[in-house]
Amino acid sequence: MSDVRLRNDGTVVVHSTERGYRAVTRLSAAVSEIVGHYVHVITDDVPGAVGAREL
């Protein structure tokens, strides 16, 4: 995962070279466990990722 960004609604946007969403799901689970609240993670290849700011 690379190019981590954040949307205004708190969604984390990442670039992933892996096919599918397994890596994104694992990242979401790991971050959610750390912060104690669900963290929504999406990849940058979807229209909803437009406008996300770099962290």
Side-chain angles (χ1 to χ4, degrees):
M1 305 272 168
S2 62
D3 194 21
V4 180
R5 292 171 280 160
L6 187 66
R7 284 192 336 192
N8 290 339
D9 66 357
T11 299
V12 176
V13 178
V14 296
H15 178 76
S16 178
T17 57
E18 291 187 36
R19 298 185 98 194
Y21 286 97
R22 282 194 175 146
V24 172
T25 302
R26 286 192 310 266
L27 177 63
S28 176
V31 174
S32 295
E33 188 172 320
I34 291 168
V35 299
H37 194 298
Y38 175 73
V39 176
H40 190 65
V41 180
I42 63 173
T43 56
D44 61 0
D45 61 350
V46 297
V50 175
R53 295 175 296 163
E54 283 190 49
L55 291 179

